[in-house]
Amino acid sequence: MMEERRTVTALLLLVLGHLTTALEVPLDLSQPPTITHQSPKDYIIDPRENIIIHCEAKGKPHPSFSWTRDGTHFDIDQLPNVHMKQRSGTLVVDISNEKAEHYEGTYQCTARNDHGTALSHNMVVRQSRSPLWSKEKIKPIVVQEGVPLVLPCRPPAGLPPPIIFWMDNNFQRLPQSRRVSQSLNGDLYFSNVLRADSRNDYICYARFPHTQTIQQKQPITVKVLNLDAINDTVAAFYNDTDLFSEEPTDERRPTFLTPSGPSNSKMVLRGQVLEMECIAEGLPTPEISWTKVSGELPAERTTLLHYQKTLRIVNVSEADAGEYRCLARNDLGSVHQIIHVSVKAAPYWISGSPKNLILAPGENGALTCRASGTPKPAINWAMNGVPIENSPNDLSRRVDDDTIIFTNVQTGSSAVYQCNVSNEYGYLLSNAFVNVLSEPPRVLTPAHQVYQVIKNHQALLDCSSFGSPIPEITWFKDSRASTLDGDPYKIHDNGTLEIHGSQTRHNGKYTCVSKNMLGISENHVYLEVKEPTRILKQPEYKVVQRGRAAVFECKVKHDPTLIPTMTWLKDDDELPDDERLVVDSDSLTITDVTDSDAGVYTCIMNTTLDHDTASAELTVVEATPTPPVVYELPDPPTDLELTEQKKRSVQLTWTPGDEHNSPIEKFIIQFEDSLHHKGHWHNLTEVSGMKTTAHLKLSPFAHYTFRVLALNGVGLSRPSPPSRMYKTEPTAPDENPADVHGFGTEHDNLVISWKPLTAIQSNGHGLHYRVMWRLKGVESDWTAVTVRNTSKFVVSGTPTFAMYELKVQALNDHGAGPEPAVAHGYSGEDLPLAAPDNVHVQVISSTQAAVHWDAVPAKLLRGHLKGYKVYYWKERSLHKHNHHHEEKQILTFSGNHTHGKLPGLHPFSLYSCHIRVFNGKGEGPPSPIQQFETPEGVPGAPSSLVITDSNVDSLTLEWNPPHDRNGHITGYTLKYQPVNNTNALGPLEELALPSNETSVVLVNLKYSTRYKFYLNAKTKIGAGPSISQEAVTIMDEAVASRQVDIATQGWFIGLMCAIALLILILLIICFIQRNKGGKYPVKEKEDAHTDPEFQPMKEEDCTFGEYSDNEDHKPLKGSRTPSNGTVKREDSDDSLVDYGEGGDGQFNEDGSFIGQYSGKSGCRDNPEGPESSEAPSPVNAMNSLNSFV
């Protein structure tokens, strides 16, 4: 019964198809609302600007608007800082006295009038965020040369996410290579470190694009040492460092730093960008390569980034699912990683969103909402914003899955219908109205419009009309003797008249008539066919002496009714503004030529309809007292004669023109066939410049005219005058059609196609073809038919998918062509008859299974084998707490595969599957259903973790089990640690909890202390991811009362003043001693050092020879010294924007710094006065960073 109903629906939709064409209703007619503009679904706002949420709609009468926020009515009348624009639904929120975050939420706009209600999609409004980097103390890192290293970035999470890049103290990009590169998460990876990697300014920057702010991580110091150089002294010096002391760094084969494990899985949505990375360590540095295990990489959509370490595929489709293999290789070996990629899809339209439907009373129509997605989306209909099942009953309306069918509609049935297509990855919401109108036709195209077109070009005459019922369009020219239909005329569905290859005879008045049962309307337009614009005399190559004049001619022919405009360009740019360049109506003159005038000059002749261009080069040479040798184009050949005239050949002779001091290199012979291609010249052959004759081979049945062009070192001459016409006699064809193919469009036919012969290949009048075929392998006579004016023939009644031998022979009125070669083809395919046998499933892991099957025999395929499709779905979870649900998935294995892997399975679940073989026609029957169970896996994170009670020394925690248990929960692990005011973490405590507990009370905690908690669940397989939470214990009132602000105590203030005075006295004494030039203990310490870093600088380096103050001028850890010599207060929480404006430093597009960005250094004898060499200033660099990346 259901099958019969769908058949009737399909037939009805076929009948109604022509009625569902979307029409634009004129705004003076009654119509339901239509949403014309709305803000995006994910709407990120700038918290510094007023919030504007767009919602525009049209309709008659003009619609009114209302809003919901988070599913409830949003009453703007109660909010003085929120208003709606006039005759619009657009909301404007004034946040000058408010915080933008108060208006975050999900908004939906409703537009309604007397004829219906339209809905916008949900607009999730969130403010952009650029949080500060948490404070941290980063210890210097000491590593042995040759070992791998990862410098973490861990930027703060922003909205939208920040762009990460690494730079140094001079705001220069850190160089990256196959050995050193940045990962997708922003970390900096070293496959192996070198001594040259030692530096103290590895700085990670996070740029938040929405607010144009940049946050900076504290610099990281890396010291790379040779193991032999690490002694007790160095070890004592670096007692506050992280020392990486791996085993000796001999050469080694690659291992992966990321991703970890032998295989990984990744899910991506259709249409999005898939990025996978493999970063390996090893010595020598490994090379990375990528392949797709189950097919080829899509070359046009694939990019390899970051020195082959990142594979990027844009516009992902279902065909991109499968296994990807990255291989890391060096001289000592290789290692590979398998990444399993699954492709899901948010809903997307198959044939576009539903279209508005205009019907006359009593007419039939349909709204179709056809979409797809993975998993298959659900379709829900609503009428005027109300679910259709709750809408008033309408006998003329019937809902059939993705289609609403209307029959015999009546006035008053107008409404707006919403189609909502959704799955777990997204949704589509579309409005389409049904407007029941009775309107006579009206032509919307302006009357008496004049269309102009260039001869031999396409002409399009508009006839946009409206009426209900939909009017029929007819066209007439001049008098209404007959309608315009057939070559060269074509009437499109929207009423436009197309004239292919317009000619002068097509000039005139055209009438468009729009007619339906309620009336008739017509409109008159006019067509003018213009002559094309052509440059008759083109500018020629010039060699001109310096100081002489150069003249380029450009003579043009154009339609006299069009106004031409001539433009000259030099090297594809505007002419220089120089009075020496004089532009006339048909020439360009350059007086007093200089070297800068050399280049390519282009003449462009424009009209309102077309244009033509020509170019020539000017070469400037040095002036000489003797007359220069002028090299010019050769003159065209003359005196063309035809001798030795035969049926298939003729001899052409000519007299060469003046070669103008440049020997002729060759002659080019061209021909025109006025019988088949009049006005078109084609190259026939070339001969040496020493010859003046050519023996020409000709084709039968042609009217030849010849001309000759000469070529020297300057260029081609003008063509010679044409020869007299030479006609060859017709004969039988010399060749047969090429590209003979055989294929089927139905299961019982064979389509034989071929490439037809051209007119000149036909060799005579009456060209036709003899088409022959017979079954391959069967001794039988050829079946033959003769056809004309076609390039294919359909043989009916053939057996399904049988191989045929094919031949196509050309014939004309003078005989048959040569014996044709035999081609092969197959008749049409039909659905396979059998399903794969011996299907069995092998469970590999909790999320993956392998399926095997036997191939279907070729005789049962009934077509070309395309592959196998594995259908699999989850029947239910094996855990009693998880709900039953079913989602079907399809994996396609192209070609003759007999096994495959099912990725992305849910642990601890019961699955079913079957397999179908498919050919070019479609799929065969399914195999018997096989069921299998996946084992337990690790659970998901607990679904919630909250602190319900906070006391002075205790906290109560409560949680809920994970949504994805993936097995039997065996217990929980709770870890917690204190966090101080600088975000430093204290010792970690761990507590094991039984599976039946969902709360715990922690006692003996410190008062007024912030704690961080981590809770995860366990199955017998292992522990799952954790959920974290933070809480603070209550301060003890007695302790708080005893706390005193030390900064307000008199003794403390006096102590600080004494220390400051003592420091000032010491500085004065040191300054006096230094001016005397005497040595003091610092100098003696410097002399004791043998390290070059501690040696005094030379006099020519503009420093004191006796004393080096390098250490005195080093900035404090984590500080920056501005270029004006002042010290800026250090605050790692500040954005670089806080340093202010100014400075000329700029970054270019690749992040490198442009211009000198450091203080000047001066010697004592500098006439400008002494200046200091200082660190780069963040003040000057701020604007550069803001424009970076």
Side-chain angles (χ1 to χ4, degrees):
M1 185 64 185
M2 180 62 71
E3 197 64 36
E4 292 179 1
R5 178 183 173 187
R6 291 194 176 274
T7 302
V8 171
T9 301
L11 292 174
L12 181 58
L13 289 177
L14 187 62
V15 173
L16 298 177
H18 72 285
L19 299 177
T20 60
T21 303
L23 296 177
E24 194 70 23
V25 182
L27 278 176
D28 62 331
L29 296 179
S30 297
Q31 56 184 293
T34 301
I35 301 289
T36 58
H37 178 57
Q38 55 189 323
S39 294
K41 292 181 180 179
D42 191 7
Y43 188 22
I44 300 176
I45 59 173
D46 191 330
R48 301 166 297 186
E49 299 177 356
N50 288 343
I51 303 171
I52 300 177
I53 311 176
H54 294 282
C55 179
E56 306 289 344
K58 65 177 182 178
K60 181 71 173 181
H62 190 75
S64 61
F65 298 88
S66 63
W67 286 85
T68 62
R69 177 185 175 189
D70 297 330
T72 60
H73 177 64
F74 187 55
D75 191 355
I76 64 174
D77 295 333
Q78 302 299 319
L79 300 169
N81 58 323
V82 181
H83 71 274
M84 194 182 301
K85 292 184 178 180
Q86 289 188 350
R87 293 183 62 82
S88 166
T90 297
L91 288 181
V92 179
V93 182
D94 181 3
I95 62 169
S96 57
N97 297 316
E98 293 275 357
K99 289 186 177 181
E101 63 186 21
H102 293 165
Y103 293 92
E104 291 183 323
T106 301
Y107 292 79
Q108 187 174 38
C109 171
T110 301
R112 57 171 56 88
N113 66 10
D114 297 340
H115 306 290
T117 301
L119 302 178
S120 73
H121 54 228
N122 287 332
M123 291 165 267
V124 180
V125 176
R126 297 180 293 170
Q127 76 166 20
S128 62
R129 288 177 169 84
S130 52
L132 301 178
W133 227 300
S134 59
K135 293 182 179 179
E136 58 180 334
K137 181 180 180 182
I138 302 177
K139 296 180 180 179
I141 299 173
V142 178
V143 292
Q144 179 183 346
E145 184 176 10
V147 303
L149 177 64
V150 181
L151 299 184
C153 180
R154 293 194 286 270
L159 184 69
I163 299 169
I164 306 302
F165 51 95
W166 288 78
M167 301 179 72
D168 60 16
N169 265 331
N170 294 322
F171 304 104
Q172 298 294 317
R173 277 257 192 177
L174 293 176
Q176 298 190 19
S177 62
R178 285 195 304 111
R179 186 179 63 85
V180 183
S181 63
Q182 179 179 315
S183 66
L184 294 177
N185 70 352
D187 293 347
L188 191 63
Y189 280 78
F190 296 75
S191 295
N192 50 77
V193 294
L194 304 176
R195 294 290 295 274
D197 296 325
S198 295
R199 61 191 307 155
N200 61 359
D201 58 351
Y202 285 96
I203 306 174
C204 181
Y205 290 88
R207 177 178 177 268
F208 297 89
H210 209 82
T211 56
Q212 293 298 309
T213 58
I214 297 176
Q215 305 289 353
Q216 170 191 338
K217 186 182 179 76
Q218 287 293 321
I220 300 175
T221 296
V222 174
K223 184 73 172 179
V224 181
L225 300 177
N226 188 301
L227 193 60
D228 296 335
I230 301 179
N231 51 38
D232 294 338
T233 303
V234 175
F237 179 76
Y238 289 103
N239 59 0
D240 192 29
T241 65
D242 290 333
L243 181 59
F244 288 72
S245 55
E246 281 84 353
E247 296 179 0
T249 56
D250 295 331
E251 292 188 345
R252 60 191 182 277
R253 60 182 298 164
T255 57
F256 282 109
L257 297 174
T258 183
S260 59
S263 65
N264 288 267
S265 297
K266 193 174 185 66
M267 190 276 287
V268 65
L269 292 181
R270 178 183 185 270
Q272 293 187 352
V273 177
L274 170 62
E275 286 187 325
M276 298 176 285
E277 68 177 352
C278 281
I279 302 178
E281 64 93 2
L283 195 63
T285 301
E287 293 186 358
I288 305 295
S289 61
W290 291 85
T291 56
K292 186 178 182 184
V293 178
S294 53
E296 297 292 331
L297 293 173
E300 68 281 359
R301 295 184 290 111
T302 300
T303 307
L304 291 174
L305 306 172
H306 304 145
Y307 305 93
Q308 309 282 92
K309 299 176 186 178
T310 302
L311 175 66
R312 189 173 193 259
I313 301 177
V314 300
N315 194 21
V316 169
S317 67
E318 287 81 355
D320 296 322
E323 294 183 350
Y324 291 79
R325 183 174 183 261
C326 69
L327 177 71
R329 180 192 301 275
N330 67 9
D331 296 340
L332 277 71
S334 64
V335 63
H336 74 271
Q337 175 78 230
I338 299 295
I339 301 176
H340 306 273
V341 174
S342 60
V343 178
K344 305 294 184 181
Y348 58 92
W349 299 117
I350 296 176
S351 55
S353 58
K355 304 296 188 296
N356 293 335
L357 194 60
I358 297 106
L359 299 174
E363 280 193 323
N364 304 328
L367 290 178
T368 302
C369 180
R370 196 145 295 157
S372 183
T374 305
K376 182 179 179 180
I379 298 176
N380 295 292
W381 287 96
M383 185 183 82
N384 295 330
V386 178
I388 201 162
E389 58 269 16
N390 299 334
S391 300
N393 189 29
D394 188 347
L395 297 178
S396 66
R397 179 185 69 221
R398 179 164 61 87
V399 179
D400 187 3
D401 193 22
D402 61 1
T403 304
I404 300 181
I405 301 170
F406 300 92
T407 54
N408 192 26
V409 296
Q410 299 301 318
T411 304
S413 297
S414 298
V416 182
Y417 290 86
Q418 288 82 33
C419 170
N420 189 314
V421 186
S422 62
N423 64 13
E424 60 188 280
Y425 299 109
Y427 75 95
L428 297 171
L429 177 65
S430 179
N431 294 276
F433 65 65
V434 175
N435 200 8
V436 182
L437 293 173
S438 292
E439 285 292 326
R442 61 168 79 178
V443 177
L444 305 178
T445 300
H448 306 295
Q449 192 165 340
V450 178
Y451 294 88
Q452 295 180 335
V453 67
I454 295 296
K455 187 177 180 180
N456 294 319
H457 285 212
Q458 177 192 63
L460 296 173
L461 310 183
D462 292 331
C463 183
S464 176
S465 66
F466 178 80
S468 183
I470 297 175
E472 178 184 357
I473 305 297
T474 53
W475 280 90
F476 301 92
K477 183 177 185 297
D478 299 329
S479 65
R480 300 195 180 186
S482 61
T483 60
L484 301 179
D485 196 9
D487 194 45
Y489 301 105
K490 178 182 179 182
I491 301 177
H492 291 269
D493 292 340
N494 63 356
T496 298
L497 175 66
E498 176 185 345
I499 305 174
H500 179 71
S502 303
Q503 301 297 321
T504 306
R505 66 178 183 274
H506 295 135
N507 281 320
K509 173 183 175 182
Y510 289 80
T511 302
C512 156
V513 178
S514 176
K515 181 179 180 181
N516 68 8
M517 59 186 295
L518 299 177
I520 186 170
S521 178
E522 65 179 41
N523 188 34
H524 305 292
V525 296
Y526 300 88
L527 177 64
E528 297 177 356
V529 181
K530 307 293 185 179
E531 291 294 327
T533 302
R534 292 290 179 264
I535 296 177
L536 301 180
K537 182 173 179 56
Q538 300 183 358
E540 298 178 347
Y541 173 77
K542 300 286 184 182
V543 178
V544 180
Q545 291 182 1
R546 193 180 301 117
R548 299 288 183 90
V551 179
F552 291 106
E553 291 186 289
C554 186
K555 297 185 182 296
V556 181
K557 176 186 176 183
H558 61 87
D559 191 285
T561 63
L562 298 178
I563 300 175
T565 302
M566 179 174 289
T567 304
W568 285 89
L569 303 177
K570 179 179 183 286
D571 297 329
D572 294 329
D573 204 351
E574 294 182 359
L575 288 178
D577 186 10
D578 192 332
E579 61 183 10
R580 296 181 301 106
L581 279 67
V582 180
V583 178
D584 293 325
S585 60
D586 57 0
S587 67
L588 168 66
T589 302
I590 308 173
T591 61
D592 191 18
V593 169
T594 65
D595 290 338
S596 63
D597 295 325
V600 176
Y601 291 83
T602 302
C603 163
I604 304 177
M605 177 58 72
N606 285 295
T607 69
T608 53
L609 296 181
D610 67 340
H611 72 279
D612 197 11
T613 66
S615 299
E617 184 177 1
L618 172 63
T619 300
V620 180
V621 297
E622 186 176 356
T624 58
T626 58
V629 177
V630 179
Y631 300 96
E632 296 182 356
L633 296 173
D635 290 341
T638 58
D639 304 327
L640 273 64
E641 286 190 31
L642 299 177
T643 59
E644 299 184 16
Q645 302 173 7
K646 299 179 181 179
K647 289 185 177 181
R648 296 287 187 99
S649 67
V650 70
Q651 182 167 287
L652 175 67
T653 62
W654 61 88
T655 301
D658 190 348
E659 60 186 24
H660 293 295
N661 301 315
S662 178
I664 295 175
E665 299 173 3
K666 62 182 176 180
F667 293 98
I668 300 172
I669 295 94
Q670 297 180 335
F671 75 92
E672 176 198 36
D673 180 10
S674 58
L675 180 61
H676 302 109
H677 300 286
K678 187 173 183 179
H680 295 271
W681 290 88
H682 308 275
N683 288 349
L684 181 60
T685 188
E686 299 175 359
V687 297
S688 166
M690 305 298 293
K691 294 184 177 181
T692 58
T693 63
H695 188 76
L696 308 178
K697 293 183 179 181
L698 309 177
S699 297
F701 191 53
H703 295 175
Y704 285 100
T705 304
F706 304 98
R707 69 182 187 185
V708 183
L709 297 87
L711 177 71
N712 66 3
V714 179
L716 271 175
S717 71
R718 299 189 305 275
S720 70
S723 69
R724 64 179 175 83
M725 184 180 293
Y726 182 67
K727 300 180 180 180
T728 55
E729 297 297 325
T731 184
D734 294 326
E735 54 186 312
N736 290 309
D739 297 332
V740 178
H741 297 287
F743 57 94
T745 57
E746 301 292 340
H747 68 89
D748 59 352
N749 76 0
L750 171 67
V751 179
I752 304 172
S753 66
W754 59 91
K755 181 180 179 181
L757 300 183
T758 63
I760 198 168
Q761 291 174 318
S762 65
N763 288 1
H765 291 291
L767 177 65
H768 54 283
Y769 303 97
R770 179 181 293 124
V771 184
M772 296 164 278
W773 69 91
R774 69 179 180 185
L775 278 168
K776 173 77 172 177
V778 178
E779 292 297 330
S780 60
D781 295 332
W782 291 87
T783 303
V785 296
T786 301
V787 296
R788 296 175 183 269
N789 301 324
T790 187
S791 60
K792 67 179 180 180
F793 178 78
V794 181
V795 181
S796 302
T798 63
T800 300
F801 197 65
M803 180 182 282
Y804 279 84
E805 295 180 317
L806 314 171
K807 294 193 297 185
V808 180
Q809 185 178 32
L811 306 91
N812 63 17
D813 293 345
H814 301 274
E819 178 65 23
V822 176
H824 296 88
Y826 285 88
S827 57
E829 302 178 74
D830 205 347
L831 297 178
L833 292 173
D837 290 328
N838 194 23
V839 177
H840 58 281
V841 180
Q842 177 186 359
V843 177
I844 299 175
S845 67
S846 61
T847 60
Q848 191 180 63
V851 59
H852 300 263
W853 64 88
D854 292 341
V856 175
K859 64 181 179 180
L860 301 178
L861 287 174
R862 300 204 296 177
H864 297 287
L865 174 63
K866 298 296 184 182
Y868 293 84
K869 291 185 179 180
V870 179
Y871 291 76
Y872 63 102
W873 62 95
K874 179 180 176 181
E875 294 284 1
R876 59 184 174 84
S877 171
L878 297 177
H879 197 283
K880 63 181 180 179
H881 294 285
N882 286 16
H883 299 292
H884 164 78
H885 66 283
E886 176 179 340
E887 49 178 352
K888 284 195 174 182
Q889 300 185 69
I890 304 173
L891 273 182
T892 301
F893 298 91
S894 301
N896 194 20
H897 279 267
T898 57
H899 61 87
K901 292 182 179 179
L902 308 181
L905 303 179
H906 292 278
F908 204 55
S909 302
L910 175 66
Y911 276 85
S912 297
C913 73
H914 67 254
I915 306 176
R916 298 173 184 256
V917 67
F918 68 99
N919 57 20
K921 187 70 174 180
E923 300 179 9
S927 66
I929 292 178
Q930 300 288 322
Q931 291 192 331
F932 61 94
E933 295 180 358
T934 54
E936 292 190 43
V938 297
S943 56
S944 67
L945 174 61
V946 296
I947 286 78
T948 59
D949 190 14
S950 177
N951 292 306
V952 172
D953 61 348
S954 67
L955 292 171
T956 302
L957 282 71
E958 294 185 3
W959 62 88
N960 287 318
H963 289 302
D964 298 324
R965 304 196 179 200
N966 297 338
H968 297 292
I969 302 298
T970 59
Y972 298 91
T973 300
L974 176 65
K975 299 177 182 179
Y976 59 95
Q977 58 190 146
V979 184
N980 64 18
N981 292 334
T982 62
N983 291 323
L985 300 175
L988 188 68
E989 303 288 341
E990 184 173 328
L991 184 63
L993 302 170
S995 61
N996 59 351
E997 285 194 11
T998 58
S999 65
V1000 67
V1001 179
L1002 300 178
V1003 297
N1004 298 326
L1005 302 178
K1006 297 179 180 179
Y1007 67 86
S1008 187
T1009 302
R1010 180 158 55 107
Y1011 284 85
K1012 190 164 187 178
F1013 303 92
Y1014 314 88
L1015 178 70
N1016 61 355
K1018 298 184 292 184
T1019 64
K1020 68 179 184 180
I1021 301 301
S1026 63
I1027 183 174
S1028 63
Q1029 186 60 272
E1030 293 187 6
V1032 180
T1033 54
I1034 298 175
M1035 175 181 284
D1036 190 333
E1037 295 181 359
V1039 174
S1041 63
R1042 294 196 299 267
Q1043 292 181 345
V1044 179
D1045 189 358
I1046 189 173
T1048 63
Q1049 300 302 303
W1051 65 268
F1052 178 81
I1053 296 174
L1055 177 62
M1056 292 298 101
C1057 292
I1059 293 173
L1061 179 60
L1062 180 61
I1063 292 173
L1064 179 59
I1065 294 172
L1066 290 175
L1067 287 175
I1068 294 172
I1069 295 172
C1070 290
F1071 180 78
I1072 295 172
Q1073 290 294 329
R1074 178 168 179 171
N1075 286 340
K1076 290 181 179 181
K1079 294 186 179 181
Y1080 43 94
V1082 174
K1083 170 62 180 175
E1084 295 173 359
K1085 290 182 180 180
E1086 290 175 351
D1087 292 339
H1089 285 293
T1090 59
D1091 193 328
E1093 292 184 7
F1094 296 103
Q1095 296 303 311
M1097 298 177 67
K1098 301 299 182 182
E1099 187 69 25
E1100 54 267 32
D1101 292 331
C1102 307
T1103 62
F1104 293 103
E1106 297 179 346
Y1107 174 67
S1108 170
D1109 61 348
N1110 291 341
E1111 294 298 319
D1112 292 343
H1113 286 279
K1114 288 184 180 178
L1116 294 176
K1117 182 177 181 181
S1119 68
R1120 299 293 173 88
T1121 305
S1123 58
N1124 59 9
T1126 63
V1127 178
K1128 200 75 172 183
R1129 178 176 56 85
E1130 174 64 18
D1131 190 349
S1132 63
D1133 287 343
D1134 286 346
S1135 164
L1136 291 182
V1137 177
D1138 295 337
Y1139 285 103
E1141 306 283 341
D1144 297 326
Q1146 296 268 333
F1147 285 92
N1148 62 17
E1149 290 181 357
D1150 64 1
S1152 61
F1153 195 68
I1154 300 174
Q1156 184 173 355
Y1157 191 72
S1158 63
K1160 300 177 183 178
S1161 62
C1163 300
R1164 275 183 266 181
D1165 58 350
N1166 188 345
E1168 298 289 328
E1171 294 181 18
S1172 62
S1173 176
E1174 298 172 349
S1177 169
V1179 176
N1180 293 339
M1182 191 54 242
N1183 291 333
S1184 302
L1185 281 175
N1186 278 338
S1187 63
F1188 185 74
V1189 184

